């Protein structure tokens, strides 16, 4: 068989000496058989003779499917002392060792499928159970679950003029991604053929990039559906669709870090953006001004199949077209406990005391993406009982919840935060949440709401808790009203948490660095800290999920006295420390000592405490 449609135009192939060759093995026609696998596992002491006999009697050798897949379904354990489970990845690594080839886990986030699928046709890949996964100027890496089949290797080298590097991957991934990569690449190319990208000579023409590709084209619909499902599977919190001069880029934010998923023609990117705007009931024609929208959909596959998710959409006109960011909100986050959000027991106790006050203003502060929304919604969800009227005014509404009365700010009809809050005051609320205090008018209305007996939650964008007091004063709120209404402030950041499956003990923390981390407080250097390693569970990053760093400022008589005197921010921070405030970095130090995260993560996320 010839690898049809193999396109690569490069110089001569690499040297033969770099090619890894497997040792000779008694495998019929090069295919791995159940009999061979069982026999070799028993010989290597990984499978007991009794399990091998049970496998034979159960007809495992004759079952359809790759022998490794069939054997992995039996859930056998090694008879050795560690009693290791013979799962698919373990067996695949073992097979790679028998073939003297590298083991390879296929991570779709790191495979440029639009490029590698041109190495060979889909039928050729399926016939030999192989899949191209990487390509350089001189080498193409091909994953296989049949490492003793080598007949195709010479053909690929002749066609591509590159050295073939063979690696072993598990058979389920090879089959799944062979279908997925080729189908998706076909959809991208099919969509690209429906239109062409015009030359750009002015800004007005920039918004027409790729306009000939229809948003309702079947190829585009499939690509968008795949993109959303893929984001759910990869635990992405945000999807970025970014137009560039000659192509578009799709990126996912996973655990706070952006990963490029793939590149595509500019016309296809524009059509995908238009398709998502249609789903979000946005103005598809208008591309010159920012827009907001939302989608409510369900996860269609995977462990969370059937779960509803909210997707908040935001577009922005850029030099090369319309950029879109889709933020994914899982409604399940609003029922998380404080411990799951990152609160220690002491921090949760202080927060519970604040949110159950009869009136006053409680602020949550931090930059975009620091977890403010999750903390606020989790809090409001607990407070929204049948006996309480909880109302919000937001821009936009982050997550729609039936337990809350939520109002959307509409700037087009002059309905801002202050106007919305003024209207809410006539709705007999008990608890009010204002999306953000941005100006003096909104701040004044929040103060008035608190003075009239309401508990008011809101957010500010400041670096730490004490800076929020200074920000209110800068907005023009009189210091006596700040003292009368403000009861507490929570500052928050998010850090990546170490993967529990692979984290390992790391080098001890340098005492000088630890002193700097917890300054101006004192704390003993932990006896043991952990470092990221990387495994299949965490997609080789060493981290899985994120947790909050918490800093809480509770208003005291001493702090109110400083505010009344017009003291500066440095004096307020010093007083907050004397009142028991634990800074963001101290909260991070506690998580480092518990093995939850690393020093680098805390230093990157939390600013130093300046007093």
């Amino acid at each position: 068989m010839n690898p049809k449609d193999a396109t690569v135009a490069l110089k001569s192939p690499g040297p033969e000496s770099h090619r890894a060759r497997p040792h000779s093995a008694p495998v019929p026609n090069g295919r791995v058989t159940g009999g061979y696998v069982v026999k070799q596992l028993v010989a290597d002491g990984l499978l007991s003779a009794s399990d091998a006999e049970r496998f034979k009697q159960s007809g495992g050798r004759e079952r359809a499917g790759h022998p490794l897949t069939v054997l992995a379904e039996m859930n056998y354990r090694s008879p050795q002392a560690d009693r290791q489970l013979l799962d698919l990845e373990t067996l695949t690594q073992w097979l790679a060792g028998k073939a003297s080839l590298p083991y390879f886990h296929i991570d779709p986030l790191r495979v440029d499928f639009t490029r590698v699928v041109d190495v060979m046709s889909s039928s050729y890949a399926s016939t030999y159970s192989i899949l191209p996964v990487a390509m350089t100027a001189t080498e193409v890496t091909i994953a296989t679950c049949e490492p003793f089949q080598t007949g195709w290797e010479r053909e690929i080298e002749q066609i591509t003029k590159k050295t073939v590097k063979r690696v072993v991957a598990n058979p389920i991934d090879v089959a799944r991604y062979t279908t997925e990569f080729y189908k998706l690449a076909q959809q991208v190319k099919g969509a690209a053929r429906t239109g062409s990208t015009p030359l750009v000579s002015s800004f007005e023409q920039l918004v027409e990039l790729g306009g000939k590709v229809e948003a309702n084209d079947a190829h585009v619909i499939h690509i968008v559906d795949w993109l959303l499902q893929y984001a759910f599977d990869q635990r992405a919190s945000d999807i970025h669709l970014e137009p560039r001069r000659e192509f578009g880029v799709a990126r996912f934010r996973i655990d706070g870090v952006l990963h490029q998923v793939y590149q595509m023609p500019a016309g296809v990117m524009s059509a995908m953006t238009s398709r998502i705007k249609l789903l979000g009931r946005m103005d598809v024609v208008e591309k010159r001004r920012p827009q907001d929208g939302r989608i409510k959909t369900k996860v269609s596959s995977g462990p969370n199949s059937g779960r509803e998710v909210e997707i908040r959409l935001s577009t922005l006109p850029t030099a090369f077209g319309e950029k879109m960011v889709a933020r994914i909100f899982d409604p399940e986050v609003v029922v998380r406990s404080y411990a799951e959000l990152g609160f220690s027991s002491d921090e949760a106790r202080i927060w519970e005391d604040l949110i159950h006050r009869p009136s006053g203003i409680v602020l949550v502060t931090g930059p975009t993406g620091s977890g403010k929304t999750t903390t606020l919604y989790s809090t409001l969800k607990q407070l929204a009982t049948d006996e309480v009227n909880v109302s919000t005014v937001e821009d936009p509404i982050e997550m729609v919840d039936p337990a809350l009365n939520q109002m959307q700010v509409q700037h087009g009809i002059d309905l801002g935060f202050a106007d919305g809050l003024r209207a809410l005051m006539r709705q007999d609320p008990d608890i009010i949440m204002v999306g953000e205090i941005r100006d003096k008018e909104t701040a004044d209305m929040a103060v008035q709401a608190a003075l009239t007996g309401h508990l008011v939650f809101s957010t500010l964008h400041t670096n730490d808790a004490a800076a929020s007091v200074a920000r209110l004063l800068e907005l023009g709120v009189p210091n006596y009203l700040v003292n009368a209404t403000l009861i507490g402030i929570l500052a928050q950041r998010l850090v990546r948490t170490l993967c529990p499956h692979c984290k390992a003990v790391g080098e001890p923390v340098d005492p000088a660095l630890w002193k700097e981390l917890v300054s101006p407080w004192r704390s003993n250097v932990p006896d043991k800290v952990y470092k990221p390693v990387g495994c299949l569970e965490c997609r080789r990053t060493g981290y899985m999920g994120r947790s909050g760093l918490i800093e809480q400022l509770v208003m005291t008589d001493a702090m109110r006295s400083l505010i009344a005197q017009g003291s500066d921010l440095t004096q307020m921070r010093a007083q907050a420390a004397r009142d028991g405030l634990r800074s963001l970095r101290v909260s991070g130090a506690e998580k480092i000592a518990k093995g939850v995260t690393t020093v680098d993560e805390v230093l990157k996320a939390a600013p130093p405490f300046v007093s």
Side-chain angles (χ1 to χ4, degrees), residues 361-364 376 380 390-396 407 409 416-422 424-425 431-439 441-443 445-447 449 455-460:
I361 297 176
V362 178
L363 296 176
V364 180
L376 277 175
L380 293 177
V390 180
S391 300
T392 76
V393 52
E394 305 173 62
D395 181 25
M407 177 193 298
V409 165
F417 279 117
D419 303 294
L421 188 49
R422 189 176 293 110
L424 285 184
M425 293 285 288
I431 298 172
I432 298 172
M433 195 272 277
V434 184
E436 182 183 352
I437 295 178
R438 299 177 179 174
D439 50 41
E441 188 180 11
T442 307
M445 286 304 305
V447 167
L455 182 62
V456 180
F457 291 90
S458 191
T459 67
L460 279 177

Side-chain angles (χ1 to χ4, degrees), residues 11 153 164 228 230 255 268 297 312 315 317 335 382 422 430 468 488 503 554 588 599:
K11 323 278 181 190
E153 187 174 353
V164 168
L228 295 178
Y230 191 28
D255 293 336
V268 177
T297 186
R312 197 185 80 188
T315 64
V335 296
Q382 294 186 38
R422 189 176 293 110
D430 297 296
S468 296
K503 67 179 182 181
V554 179
V599 173

